[in-house]
Amino acid sequence: MPQNSKHYSIYSMELGPMENFVYLLHDHASNTAAIVDPAWEVNEMLGFADEKEIKITDVLLTHSHHDHINGLQQTLEHSDARVHLLKPEAKFWDANLSNPVLHHGADQIQLGDSLINILHTPGHTPGSACYHLGDDLIAGDTLFVFGCGRCDLAGGDPEEMFQTLKKMKTELPATTVLHPGHNYAPQSPTSTMASQCQGNPFLHFDEASDFVKYRMHVHDTIRNTPYEAVSKEQACASLK
Ligand SMILES: [Fe+2]
């Protein structure tokens, strides 16, 4: 389906010193929007919405790390928006949010005519979420173009990440467009699940133990950003 037949548009801005992407999901019929992971110079995205006279009604958080939420307060001062996150992330974060909407995986958010499905994707943090609408996936720090989120920080768990990515690989259509939380592959800021299944090393391992070894001990010693595609043979060979 051509892009303009969708009920919505996705705008992205790369902001801050860590190549974070802030997204705006704009529902055409209602002229409302959800902002995802408001951070850094978020006023640029808020100003963009103002210019287009789009009302921001919802904030979607993929997870609670500072580089994804440090513009939340400013966003709530700008717009009277509902904040959505997963219940396990709220527990992990322990922040003093007023009236957040706490979700479980498989919940849905209706934004005008656009329906957003929430996936619980633990591994980077206990309550990491991806937001799936149409054939687009807003993936936070769960899946990057040719990369995935770290699992060695507080709340991270590489075995959970293995299960999360395995599920995404098998359940998301190959045509799904990946919109990651960081621009770690600037030659390809977005990608498809088909390309990721071919070239994302974190989707190449069949055994949890191999994935854990690669994520926790091997990857950071052999790869740096900008990320490029890695074949299954290369990924498996790097474990030896
Ligand atoms: Fe993160």
Short mmCIF file of all heavy atoms in Angstrom, two decimals, residues 2-25:
data_model
loop_
_atom_site.label_atom_id
_atom_site.label_comp_id
_atom_site.label_asym_id
_atom_site.label_seq_id
_atom_site.Cartn_x
_atom_site.Cartn_y
_atom_site.Cartn_z
N PRO A 2 0.55 2.20 -0.84
CA PRO A 2 1.36 3.42 -0.83
C PRO A 2 1.25 4.15 0.50
O PRO A 2 0.24 4.06 1.19
CB PRO A 2 0.76 4.25 -1.97
CG PRO A 2 -0.59 3.69 -2.22
CD PRO A 2 -0.55 2.25 -1.80
N GLN A 3 2.30 4.86 0.83
CA GLN A 3 2.40 5.56 2.11
C GLN A 3 1.19 6.47 2.37
O GLN A 3 0.67 6.53 3.45
CB GLN A 3 3.68 6.41 2.10
CG GLN A 3 4.01 7.10 3.40
CD GLN A 3 4.77 6.19 4.34
OE1 GLN A 3 5.11 5.08 3.97
NE2 GLN A 3 5.01 6.65 5.54
N ASN A 4 0.72 7.16 1.30
CA ASN A 4 -0.33 8.15 1.52
C ASN A 4 -1.72 7.54 1.72
O ASN A 4 -2.68 8.24 1.91
CB ASN A 4 -0.34 9.19 0.39
CG ASN A 4 -0.64 8.55 -0.95
OD1 ASN A 4 -1.00 7.38 -1.02
ND2 ASN A 4 -0.46 9.32 -2.02
N SER A 5 -1.81 6.20 1.62
CA SER A 5 -3.11 5.58 1.87
C SER A 5 -3.27 5.24 3.35
O SER A 5 -4.32 4.80 3.78
CB SER A 5 -3.25 4.30 1.04
OG SER A 5 -2.38 3.32 1.54
N LYS A 6 -2.21 5.47 4.13
CA LYS A 6 -2.30 5.18 5.56
C LYS A 6 -3.15 6.22 6.28
O LYS A 6 -3.30 7.34 5.81
CB LYS A 6 -0.90 5.21 6.18
CG LYS A 6 -0.03 4.03 5.79
CD LYS A 6 1.30 4.18 6.52
CE LYS A 6 2.22 3.02 6.22
NZ LYS A 6 3.53 3.20 6.87
N HIS A 7 -3.61 5.82 7.45
CA HIS A 7 -4.36 6.75 8.30
C HIS A 7 -3.42 7.72 9.03
O HIS A 7 -3.89 8.62 9.69
CB HIS A 7 -5.12 5.98 9.39
CG HIS A 7 -6.18 5.09 8.86
ND1 HIS A 7 -7.26 5.57 8.15
CD2 HIS A 7 -6.34 3.76 8.94
CE1 HIS A 7 -8.04 4.56 7.82
NE2 HIS A 7 -7.51 3.45 8.26
N TYR A 8 -2.13 7.44 8.94
CA TYR A 8 -1.21 8.19 9.80
C TYR A 8 0.11 8.45 9.05
O TYR A 8 0.40 7.82 8.03
CB TYR A 8 -0.91 7.38 11.08
CG TYR A 8 -0.25 6.05 10.79
CD1 TYR A 8 1.13 5.96 10.71
CD2 TYR A 8 -1.00 4.90 10.57
CE1 TYR A 8 1.75 4.76 10.42
CE2 TYR A 8 -0.40 3.70 10.27
CZ TYR A 8 0.98 3.63 10.20
OH TYR A 8 1.58 2.45 9.88
N SER A 9 0.88 9.39 9.63
CA SER A 9 2.25 9.62 9.16
C SER A 9 3.18 9.49 10.35
O SER A 9 2.77 9.74 11.49
CB SER A 9 2.41 11.04 8.59
OG SER A 9 1.52 11.25 7.53
N ILE A 10 4.41 9.11 10.07
CA ILE A 10 5.42 9.06 11.14
C ILE A 10 6.52 10.06 10.80
O ILE A 10 7.12 9.99 9.73
CB ILE A 10 6.03 7.65 11.26
CG1 ILE A 10 4.93 6.64 11.63
CG2 ILE A 10 7.16 7.64 12.31
CD1 ILE A 10 5.43 5.22 11.77
N TYR A 11 6.73 11.01 11.70
CA TYR A 11 7.83 11.96 11.55
C TYR A 11 8.92 11.60 12.55
O TYR A 11 8.61 11.18 13.67
CB TYR A 11 7.34 13.39 11.83
CG TYR A 11 6.24 13.84 10.89
CD1 TYR A 11 4.91 13.80 11.29
CD2 TYR A 11 6.55 14.28 9.62
CE1 TYR A 11 3.90 14.21 10.43
CE2 TYR A 11 5.54 14.69 8.74
CZ TYR A 11 4.22 14.65 9.16
OH TYR A 11 3.22 15.04 8.31
N SER A 12 10.16 11.74 12.15
CA SER A 12 11.25 11.44 13.10
C SER A 12 12.24 12.59 13.12
O SER A 12 12.42 13.29 12.12
CB SER A 12 11.96 10.15 12.71
OG SER A 12 12.66 10.32 11.50
N MET A 13 12.85 12.78 14.28
CA MET A 13 13.95 13.73 14.43
C MET A 13 15.04 13.06 15.22
O MET A 13 14.77 12.43 16.25
CB MET A 13 13.50 14.99 15.19
CG MET A 13 12.62 15.90 14.39
SD MET A 13 12.31 17.44 15.29
CE MET A 13 11.15 18.22 14.17
N GLU A 14 16.28 13.21 14.75
CA GLU A 14 17.42 12.70 15.52
C GLU A 14 17.89 13.84 16.41
O GLU A 14 18.28 14.89 15.92
CB GLU A 14 18.53 12.25 14.58
CG GLU A 14 19.67 11.60 15.33
CD GLU A 14 20.87 11.31 14.45
OE1 GLU A 14 20.70 11.14 13.23
OE2 GLU A 14 21.98 11.28 15.00
N LEU A 15 17.84 13.62 17.72
CA LEU A 15 18.12 14.69 18.67
C LEU A 15 19.11 14.25 19.74
O LEU A 15 19.17 13.06 20.09
CB LEU A 15 16.82 15.15 19.35
CG LEU A 15 15.71 15.71 18.43
CD1 LEU A 15 14.43 15.98 19.23
CD2 LEU A 15 16.17 16.98 17.72
N GLY A 16 19.87 15.22 20.27
CA GLY A 16 20.76 14.95 21.40
C GLY A 16 22.08 14.34 20.98
O GLY A 16 22.32 14.06 19.80
N PRO A 17 22.94 14.11 21.98
CA PRO A 17 24.32 13.66 21.70
C PRO A 17 24.45 12.15 21.51
O PRO A 17 25.55 11.66 21.26
CB PRO A 17 25.07 14.10 22.97
CG PRO A 17 24.03 14.01 24.04
CD PRO A 17 22.72 14.36 23.41
N MET A 18 23.33 11.42 21.64
CA MET A 18 23.42 9.96 21.58
C MET A 18 22.62 9.37 20.41
O MET A 18 22.22 8.22 20.43
CB MET A 18 22.91 9.36 22.90
CG MET A 18 23.77 9.78 24.08
SD MET A 18 22.98 9.43 25.68
CE MET A 18 23.08 7.64 25.69
N GLU A 19 22.40 10.20 19.41
CA GLU A 19 21.70 9.76 18.19
C GLU A 19 20.30 9.21 18.47
O GLU A 19 19.86 8.26 17.83
CB GLU A 19 22.54 8.71 17.42
CG GLU A 19 23.83 9.27 16.88
CD GLU A 19 25.06 8.57 17.46
OE1 GLU A 19 24.92 7.77 18.39
OE2 GLU A 19 26.16 8.86 16.97
N ASN A 20 19.63 9.78 19.48
CA ASN A 20 18.25 9.34 19.76
C ASN A 20 17.29 9.80 18.68
O ASN A 20 17.41 10.91 18.17
CB ASN A 20 17.77 9.93 21.10
CG ASN A 20 18.34 9.20 22.28
OD1 ASN A 20 19.46 9.50 22.70
ND2 ASN A 20 17.60 8.25 22.81
N PHE A 21 16.32 8.94 18.39
CA PHE A 21 15.21 9.34 17.53
C PHE A 21 13.99 9.66 18.39
O PHE A 21 13.61 8.86 19.26
CB PHE A 21 14.82 8.20 16.58
CG PHE A 21 15.64 8.11 15.34
CD1 PHE A 21 16.26 6.92 14.99
CD2 PHE A 21 15.78 9.20 14.48
CE1 PHE A 21 17.01 6.81 13.82
CE2 PHE A 21 16.54 9.10 13.31
CZ PHE A 21 17.14 7.90 12.98
N VAL A 22 13.40 10.80 18.13
CA VAL A 22 12.10 11.14 18.71
C VAL A 22 11.09 11.06 17.55
O VAL A 22 11.34 11.59 16.47
CB VAL A 22 12.11 12.56 19.32
CG1 VAL A 22 10.71 12.96 19.79
CG2 VAL A 22 13.11 12.62 20.47
N TYR A 23 9.99 10.35 17.79
CA TYR A 23 9.00 10.15 16.73
C TYR A 23 7.69 10.85 17.06
O TYR A 23 7.32 10.98 18.23
CB TYR A 23 8.71 8.65 16.55
CG TYR A 23 9.89 7.86 16.04
CD1 TYR A 23 10.67 7.09 16.91
CD2 TYR A 23 10.22 7.88 14.69
CE1 TYR A 23 11.76 6.37 16.43
CE2 TYR A 23 11.31 7.15 14.21
CZ TYR A 23 12.06 6.40 15.08
OH TYR A 23 13.14 5.69 14.62
N LEU A 24 7.02 11.27 16.01
CA LEU A 24 5.67 11.81 16.14
C LEU A 24 4.76 10.98 15.24
O LEU A 24 4.99 10.90 14.02
CB LEU A 24 5.63 13.28 15.71
CG LEU A 24 4.35 14.03 16.04
CD1 LEU A 24 4.29 14.35 17.54
CD2 LEU A 24 4.25 15.35 15.25
N LEU A 25 3.77 10.32 15.85
CA LEU A 25 2.80 9.53 15.10
C LEU A 25 1.56 10.38 14.92
O LEU A 25 0.88 10.69 15.91
CB LEU A 25 2.46 8.23 15.86
CG LEU A 25 3.64 7.46 16.48
CD1 LEU A 25 3.13 6.20 17.19
CD2 LEU A 25 4.67 7.11 15.42
#
